[in-house]
Amino acid sequence: MSSVSVFGAQWGDEGKGKIIDGLARGADVIVRYQGGANAGHTVIVSGAKYVLHLIPSGILHPGKVNVIGNGLAVDPLKFIEEVEGLRARGVKVDGTNLRLSSAAHVIFEHHKRIDLASERWRGVGRIGTTGRGIGPCYADKAARTGLRVADLLEPERCRRRLAAALAEKNALLEQVHGEQPLSLEEQLARYMHLGEVLRPFVGDTGAEVRDAYRRGKHVLFEGAQGALLDIDHGSYPYVTSSNTGSDGIAAGAGFPSRWLDRVVGIAKAYCTRVGEGPFPSEDHGADGVKIREAGNEYGATTGRPRRCGWFDVLAMRYSLELNGADGWIMTNLDVLDSFDEIKVATAYEVGGQMHREWPGAHVDLADVKVHMEGARGWKTDITAVRRYEDLPALTRKYVEWVEKLVGVPIVMLSVGPDRDQVIPRDGLKRALAHA
Ligand code: IMP
């Protein structure tokens, strides 16, 4: 048996969907443990594109159990939309292959409205959220005023808790944000109906996942967003509202940390970020634009153009160490195919001093000056390469240079969006246990 955590090691959008989809072949249970429909995991199967927001990327493989853990903020409308979208394309989705935690928090209409209104209120200090209600829902979870999936299934409890929540949220919407209040009866009717649609999927998923692991099943944990967007360890306050790395698994899936066998990070051969916040290795010039176009760097959830820049060794070392990664997977290497020179951030200058390690929360990342080093580009199309030794010598040189700087083995490379455009490296089996 084995359990593997695969998480985004940068600012999200590292290509996790495709990698998890590939690794799901060898897994029995695929588990999401945090975030919500703010994520956008793109998987391409034989040229057909699927974008998943809530449902784990393992859903595209028959016979696998996919779990939405208690740590998620679930918008029932998005859940149903995604289930129906998959069914319309012939993918089997029912309560046997998709499980939803009864303890996951529910995103209501008021969360989405407050998310958008708070962003307007923040003005230039806005976070650039996806507007999906994530922050307000997690805020209610921490304030103990939220409703969980199980509450939608109990009419009396649902009425009592939603009435209490809406009394406060309507005051906020009307008096602070100048918006129309929401009708309790309308909201109750809508969400209790949605609850009935969810019912066949709902269960105690923590117990189900632990039981599967004990019975020798392979469990794969799918992180959403990226380690640098982690609420505790990321670039606060420009982060999402959950623990995005392997640190989120115990709380968000009910799976003990001590049972985690392997941890693997995913990072692009360069860096991107959507939304506001510091991004030390961002390229504001022609190279940034070129990366965006070559990598089609537009948000899968919001369609926003992503900010683009170069691979950041300090950020990567930090996020791999923080999450205890045994190895990492470098994605989108082919996006660099046409560059004469490929840059890598190898040090930060802070207050006149050079740092080779992530500077920590006391330093405002917006104030760091980045020191870049360059490598010669290979100027060859590598999208058809499937064996490491068949890559151009300059590509291997770049990969090995970055690997050495980061100090953690690269166990696989991805050279295109399709499921099979991957290049395994030595150590893949060791790092993933069941790959
Ligand atoms: P929220 O998660 O919608 O509250 O957004 C908070 C920050 O996280 C914003 O900067 C978003 O752009 C970013 N974010 C949230 N989800 C993703 C994702 O899946 N990929 C990349 N960035 C994300």
Side-chain angles (χ1 to χ4, degrees):
M1 66 189 170
S2 71
S3 59
V4 177
S5 154
V6 175
F7 70 97
Q10 295 166 320
W11 273 287
D13 310 313
E14 297 90 352
K16 294 181 288 293
K18 166 190 150 153
I19 300 293
I20 305 269
D21 165 69
L23 298 178
R25 274 181 246 198
D28 301 299
V29 184
I30 300 96
V31 186
R32 277 257 331 247
Y33 53 91
Q34 50 72 226
N38 48 349
H41 292 164
T42 307
V43 183
I44 297 183
V45 185
S46 310
K49 182 172 169 181
Y50 297 82
V51 182
L52 299 162
H53 298 284
L54 266 174
I55 299 180
S57 309
I59 197 74
L60 301 172
H61 293 273
K64 314 287 175 187
V65 178
N66 294 272
V67 175
I68 296 181
N70 62 280
L72 275 89
V74 175
D75 182 340
L77 284 165
K78 290 280 165 210
F79 178 92
I80 293 163
E81 197 180 292
E82 210 162 304
V83 167
E84 284 173 356
L86 285 166
R87 282 178 177 161
R89 296 177 72 180
V91 179
K92 176 196 156 206
V93 190
D94 60 26
T96 62
N97 71 339
L98 179 61
R99 309 291 301 145
L100 170 62
S101 170
S102 54
H105 273 255
V106 177
I107 295 187
F108 285 88
E109 178 64 26
H110 57 265
H111 290 126
K112 291 182 269 192
R113 291 206 188 175
I114 292 168
D115 193 0
L116 297 173
S118 304
E119 281 284 84
R120 286 198 295 274
W121 201 257
R122 287 185 199 113
V124 287
R126 71 187 181 279
I127 294 163
T129 73
T130 58
R132 296 285 166 98
I134 303 293
C137 180
Y138 280 119
D140 283 355
K141 173 179 175 174
R144 293 146 297 172
T145 52
L147 275 81
R148 308 198 289 179
V149 167
D151 295 322
L152 296 185
L153 308 180
E154 294 286 340
E156 277 318 305
R157 200 161 79 203
C158 189
R159 173 175 287 279
R160 188 168 23 92
R161 291 191 64 84
L162 190 58
L166 267 191
E168 187 191 345
K169 301 303 172 190
N170 274 339
L172 180 67
L173 281 170
E174 273 187 288
Q175 290 164 35
V176 177
H177 299 308
E179 294 209 6
Q180 289 298 312
L182 291 160
S183 146
L184 172 63
E185 294 309 323
E186 261 176 45
Q187 294 295 302
L188 255 181
R190 184 197 298 180
Y191 281 88
M192 284 186 35
H193 166 72
L194 292 171
E196 285 312 310
V197 185
L198 299 186
R199 193 183 285 277
F201 300 95
V202 179
D204 179 353
T205 55
E208 292 171 15
V209 175
R210 292 193 301 277
D211 184 52
Y213 181 73
R214 256 193 262 104
R215 285 187 294 110
K217 302 289 182 195
H218 295 310
V219 184
L220 182 63
F221 291 95
E222 169 178 1
Q225 289 88 42
L228 302 173
L229 288 174
D230 185 286
I231 180 111
D232 284 288
H233 305 289
S235 50
Y236 191 89
Y238 300 99
V239 292
T240 190
S241 299
S242 59
N243 289 116
T244 52
S246 52
D247 54 340
I249 292 175
F255 190 84
S257 312
R258 286 186 60 194
W259 290 8
L260 212 52
D261 299 313
R262 299 281 190 277
V263 178
V264 175
I266 307 209
K268 285 193 275 218
Y270 50 90
C271 250
T272 63
R273 176 164 198 165
V274 246
E276 307 302 319
F279 177 3
S281 64
E282 183 168 11
D283 188 300
H284 296 278
D287 282 349
V289 174
K290 192 168 163 183
I291 293 175
R292 181 175 313 119
E293 294 317 312
N296 191 24
E297 292 293 355
Y298 294 88
T301 299
T302 59
R304 289 182 287 181
R306 296 181 184 139
R307 297 155 63 193
C308 297
W310 297 106
F311 188 89
D312 185 332
V313 171
L314 289 80
M316 190 63 186
R317 268 211 297 262
Y318 168 67
S319 68
L320 293 182
E321 178 173 295
L322 187 64
N323 289 286
D326 304 286
W328 62 287
I329 295 170
M330 181 190 265
T331 58
N332 292 26
L333 183 57
D334 56 299
V335 171
L336 303 180
D337 279 356
S338 62
F339 283 83
D340 295 320
E341 190 195 22
I342 297 166
K343 292 184 202 143
V344 170
T346 54
Y348 293 168
E349 193 187 318
V350 185
Q353 281 204 327
M354 290 300 260
H355 287 242
R356 297 228 165 240
E357 298 300 332
W358 184 255
H362 58 286
V363 171
D364 187 343
L365 284 180
D367 295 337
V368 307
K369 261 179 45 198
V370 160
H371 174 76
M372 298 275 191
E373 290 178 50
R376 228 176 96 202
W378 45 92
K379 310 273 284 182
T380 312
D381 180 347
I382 60 168
T383 54
V385 178
R386 297 291 174 271
R387 294 187 325 171
Y388 188 66
E389 54 273 29
D390 295 338
L391 281 171
L394 282 171
T395 318
R396 282 183 276 127
K397 198 170 167 200
Y398 168 75
V399 169
E400 286 160 32
W401 177 53
V402 170
E403 181 176 49
K404 192 159 174 230
L405 287 169
V406 171
V408 178
I410 299 176
V411 296
M412 190 157 80
L413 303 165
S414 164
V415 291
D418 210 89
R419 230 181 214 181
D420 300 316
Q421 288 178 295
V422 289
I423 301 176
R425 290 192 77 218
D426 291 348
L428 180 63
K429 285 243 170 346
R430 223 173 18 256
L432 290 170
H434 66 256

